[in-house]
Amino acid sequence: MDVEQYMQQLGSQARAAARQVAASTTAARNNALLAARDLLDAARPELAAANAEDLQRGAANGLEGPLMDRLELTPARIDTMLEGLTQVASLADPVGAISDMNTMPSGIKVGRMRVPLGVIGIIYESRPNVTVEAASLCLKSGNATILRGGSEALSSNLAIARCLAQGLEQAGLPAAAVQVVDTTDRAAVGRLIAMPEFVDVIVPRGGKGLIERISADAKVPVIKHLDGVCHVYIDEGADLDMAESIAVNAKTQRYGTCNTMETLLVHAAEASAILPRLEQAYGSAGVELRGCERTRAIIAGAVAASEEDWHAEYLAPILAVRVVDDMEQAMAHIDQYSSQHTESIVTADHGRAMRFLREVDSSSVMVNASTRFADGFEYGLGAEIGISTDKLHARGPVGLEGLTSQKYVVMGEGQVRT
Amino acid sequence: MDVEQYMQQLGSQARAAARQVAASTTAARNNALLAARDLLDAARPELAAANAEDLQRGAANGLEGPLMDRLELTPARIDTMLEGLTQVASLADPVGAISDMNTMPSGIKVGRMRVPLGVIGIIYESRPNVTVEAASLCLKSGNATILRGGSEALSSNLAIARCLAQGLEQAGLPAAAVQVVDTTDRAAVGRLIAMPEFVDVIVPRGGKGLIERISADAKVPVIKHLDGVCHVYIDEGADLDMAESIAVNAKTQRYGTCNTMETLLVHAAEASAILPRLEQAYGSAGVELRGCERTRAIIAGAVAASEEDWHAEYLAPILAVRVVDDMEQAMAHIDQYSSQHTESIVTADHGRAMRFLREVDSSSVMVNASTRFADGFEYGLGAEIGISTDKLHARGPVGLEGLTSQKYVVMGEGQVRT
């Protein structure tokens, strides 16, 4: 197979399909999603067979436990995929919404209309359910997609793609609006990220290494998420019950997510009161503590934190803890070590709450809430294609709106410029 | 001079200044702008001397007429610069605005706060007044700037920068919030666009060649404007007086601007009525017409248009004219040849007006108005740093809002995720 030519073809098909999808009705796109859902439901045996192929090949290639687990399309995961399609179909259509329409001194009316981005390339690792999730969000927002999943999941992804294509056709939309790259050749990724004539934006989903490589080489914009080194700062005078509850939840509710707290900052005035309580709570949850000197003076069992710990995204039951003199020092620490994902202050002071909200330069900044809320569903976006740690275009959880842009629309009655 | 080290220093100073500017009050930023205005006004003799240096060097280097003209800081241009500072100071501060604050089922309140991008690198050619314009918009929107102007304008730019720095200091803001690159070494540009740790976005202003080079090499996002191949489509049944007025204005009001019409599309049913009128109007304005076969059957004097003409951004009194069968064909032509800057339909039909608005994929899409309105001031943005032909982040005229981003802010009362 000539990968260059193949990707060129996928790209040009996607570009043509994108025009049709952008001009399609909301009803047609919803119908395609619901038809795909029913087709996937009816294709459970085929999905199982395709997935078994992937699993067998994975086992033969010595794929490790967690990767094998992510690869598996259990009946429950298929149920979740189907529910996801129903849910995405029920979301409001972002496309075509006109906002901020105002009349200018010249008499023209100027507003902004939300429009699809065009063609979105999604690059992801082993989970085949991402195929449905990403394709449905792109389609709902009026875009065409080219999906490049992990090569270990190729059979499953192609089986899913067949149902999606059929669903599109049943709804009178072009099958090429959703295409799965049908080759395991790595050169396909290199092409996908370097065809600005056919692809408008790349959304990589996966580990930091994958995303850094893609960002470095891409010739099109990338909506990306690097890491989540999230902080909670317990302020002087904070309600300590609230502080304990948030600090425990932010760390222990799930360890492997990007919005999990990795470093806890505690005002010196509260350290001796709150740290022993937290030591007990984290102890019973099995969380290892790594602290600064002042922390270790209170929590004797804490390991000494090294410079590396302040940078670490553990994604594990480990927490770095630092005692700070005041909010200034907490914000300076965040400024130095945070990945600008999510930070939260626990405070009773309105002025400091507002300063923290304003001055901390992260995609989500919170007052008196767990960092675990940084999520498209919890934010009411109805869906999430990822969380952006970039500043331009989309920042924080990215829902349907992040897959669109706004153009200016002008309504005149014959006005000319003088 | 070690350019690498020098740029590193500018970058790290800008990053530190950006934090202070982002946290500054609206009043402080406005005071800095107004102080700079007064300082520039008082420094007219120094500005004239610095500009004379540039002009002398330019003449010695054989700089051509239009470039010499752009380089000159006439008293009138200084007046305009000062007025610009007053105007920017009077604009509403975009920073800190919270929108879309809603209460979620969990009880947290989630909204979005507008925040500065951080450090903005501006790369531009010979006009020294851009220094004030760009610096003032970046400062107003809470950002720090590094300005790299044309080397031929270096003395003028440095003289301006001294006033801006003094203005910042008088207002209690760091002088490094606005820095002019003080070297004509081209390597400085290469460094400026490749320091993501210090620079958040690059805004190049200048010719297409400059912008293409910068976009190709940049390691940070670029808000860019390539070309403006703008179209007006005169629909079947359009008011022909309105059509003539718009078609003439869009082409002849100014030839050298990016929102000037370069190709006129005319519905076949109106061609024989409108083209003779336009032939006369364009003729008296001295506009050369290049037409398709059907156009030339009506306007005998029109040159035969080649494939190149449909792609051309003339920026000159030349217009390509094509007769089309219907709006479909007009939109297909636009889709194929437009630079996605600005397109306008002249029509009396509501359905076609709405379809054109929705389906044409350009940064500005208009009904019954001259393309010349595609401009930040005409759109009520109060200012314009440029016009973006990109889709992500900022599309169309970019005002203060385009120099900011939105982060999520969450207000809780102790909520944790379950």
Side-chain angles (χ1 to χ4, degrees), chain A residues 333-368:
Chain A
H333 180 102
I334 288 168
D335 194 47
Q336 187 173 357
Y337 296 107
S338 161
S339 64
Q340 303 187 289
H341 187 298
T342 299
E343 332 295 339
S344 182
I345 183 174
V346 185
T347 188
D349 184 273
H350 179 67
R352 287 198 293 274
M354 295 313 289
R355 252 198 83 197
F356 190 88
L357 275 187
R358 163 125 188 227
E359 294 185 20
V360 171
D361 187 21
S362 296
S363 72
S364 286
V365 190
M366 304 181 169
V367 174
N368 298 336

Side-chain angles (χ1 to χ4, degrees), chain A residues 15 19 21-26 29 93 95-96 98 104-106 108 110 112-113 115-119 200-201 216 219 221-223 242 245-246 249-250 253 259 335 354 356-370 372-375 377-381 391-399 401 404-418, chain B residues 15 19 21-26 29 93 95-96 98 104-106 108 110 112-113 115-119 200-201 216 219 221-223 242 245-246 249-250 253 259 335 354 356-370 372-375 377-381 391-399 401 404-418:
Chain A
R15 179 61 79 208
R19 280 188 206 107
V21 174
S24 70
T25 62
T26 308
R29 279 175 276 132
D93 184 1
V95 177
I98 297 182
M104 297 296 129
S106 62
I108 58 170
V110 179
R112 308 184 77 181
M113 184 191 279
V115 289
L117 290 174
V119 177
D200 295 292
V201 61
K219 297 288 175 206
V222 178
I223 296 179
M242 187 193 288
S245 157
I246 288 174
N249 184 264
Q253 205 244 342
N259 55 18
D335 194 47
M354 295 313 289
F356 190 88
L357 275 187
R358 163 125 188 227
E359 294 185 20
V360 171
D361 187 21
S362 296
S363 72
S364 286
V365 190
M366 304 181 169
V367 174
N368 298 336
S370 168
R372 288 280 296 127
F373 281 113
D375 173 287
F377 294 92
E378 294 292 340
Y379 283 3
L381 305 184
K391 282 188 175 183
L392 266 74
H393 187 65
R395 198 172 185 192
V398 181
E401 206 182 278
T404 64
S405 98
Q406 287 186 301
K407 68 183 178 192
Y408 281 97
V409 289
V410 175
M411 311 272 223
E413 295 154 298
Q415 281 86 356
V416 297
R417 197 160 159 192
T418 49
Chain B
R15 179 60 79 207
R19 280 188 206 110
V21 175
S24 70
T25 62
T26 308
R29 279 175 278 134
D93 184 0
V95 178
I98 297 182
M104 296 298 130
S106 63
I108 59 170
V110 179
R112 308 185 76 179
M113 184 190 279
V115 289
L117 290 174
V119 177
D200 295 290
V201 60
K219 299 286 176 208
V222 178
I223 296 177
M242 188 194 286
S245 158
I246 288 174
N249 183 264
Q253 204 243 343
N259 55 19
D335 194 46
M354 296 314 288
F356 191 88
L357 275 187
R358 163 125 189 229
E359 294 185 21
V360 171
D361 188 22
S362 296
S363 72
S364 286
V365 189
M366 304 181 170
V367 174
N368 297 337
S370 168
R372 287 280 296 127
F373 281 113
D375 173 286
F377 294 92
E378 294 292 340
Y379 283 2
L381 304 184
K391 282 190 174 179
L392 266 73
H393 186 65
R395 198 171 184 192
V398 181
E401 207 182 277
T404 63
S405 97
Q406 287 185 302
K407 66 183 178 192
Y408 281 96
V409 289
V410 175
M411 310 273 221
E413 295 154 297
Q415 282 85 355
V416 296
R417 198 159 159 195
T418 48

Side-chain angles (χ1 to χ4, degrees), chain B residues 28-246:
Chain B
R29 279 175 278 134
N30 287 342
N31 287 343
L33 294 169
L34 297 176
R37 177 198 61 191
D38 296 343
L39 289 157
L40 284 164
D41 196 18
R44 284 176 186 262
E46 290 83 352
L47 294 179
N51 193 238
E53 263 178 51
D54 285 333
L55 289 168
Q56 256 169 10
R57 206 175 38 234
N61 293 339
L63 219 57
E64 284 173 36
L67 284 175
M68 286 292 278
D69 173 60
R70 283 200 261 164
L71 191 52
E72 198 175 349
L73 266 183
T74 61
R77 282 181 183 165
I78 294 178
D79 290 345
T80 308
M81 264 169 33
L82 304 185
E83 278 160 33
L85 285 164
T86 311
Q87 212 171 31
V88 172
S90 74
L91 292 174
D93 184 0
V95 178
I98 297 182
S99 57
D100 309 318
M101 190 69 122
N102 290 308
T103 306
M104 296 298 130
S106 63
I108 59 170
K109 290 186 171 53
V110 179
R112 308 185 76 179
M113 184 190 279
R114 202 160 274 290
V115 289
L117 290 174
V119 177
I120 299 177
I122 314 269
I123 299 168
Y124 52 108
E125 293 173 334
S126 49
R127 294 190 304 124
N129 36 331
V130 173
T131 309
V132 168
E133 212 180 289
S136 65
L137 294 177
C138 291
L139 179 64
K140 178 79 190 199
S141 51
N143 296 287
T145 349
I146 302 177
L147 296 136
R148 176 36 151 99
S151 51
E152 61 283 5
L154 187 61
S155 301
S156 308
N157 288 339
L158 289 172
I160 291 170
R162 278 190 292 275
C163 296
L164 294 171
Q166 249 183 293
L168 284 161
E169 282 175 339
Q170 285 184 15
L173 293 175
V178 176
Q179 298 179 97
V180 164
V181 175
D182 185 6
T183 168
T184 56
D185 191 326
R186 277 166 171 271
V189 174
R191 285 303 304 148
L192 183 58
I193 65 174
M195 310 192 292
E197 65 279 27
F198 297 131
V199 177
D200 295 290
V201 60
I202 293 286
V203 183
R205 292 180 49 156
K208 193 176 174 183
L210 170 81
I211 295 172
E212 280 178 337
R213 274 199 312 280
I214 286 168
S215 305
D217 297 339
K219 299 286 176 208
V220 293
V222 178
I223 296 177
K224 67 175 171 294
H225 168 204
L226 289 172
D227 44 8
V229 182
C230 302
H231 296 74
V232 171
Y233 164 59
I234 299 175
D235 190 28
E236 179 172 21
D239 176 315
L240 296 189
D241 290 339
M242 188 194 286
E244 178 179 346
S245 158
I246 288 174

Side-chain angles (χ1 to χ4, degrees), chain A residues 240-285:
Chain A
L240 295 189
D241 290 338
M242 187 193 288
E244 179 180 346
S245 157
I246 288 174
V248 170
N249 184 264
K251 182 68 227 181
T252 67
Q253 205 244 342
R254 265 182 81 183
Y255 293 114
T257 51
C258 57
N259 55 18
T260 297
M261 166 179 64
E262 303 291 14
T263 297
L264 175 68
L265 303 168
V266 179
H267 191 288
E270 307 297 346
S272 57
I274 190 72
L275 287 181
R277 292 173 62 168
L278 288 172
E279 180 183 16
Q280 194 164 8
Y282 288 131
S284 54

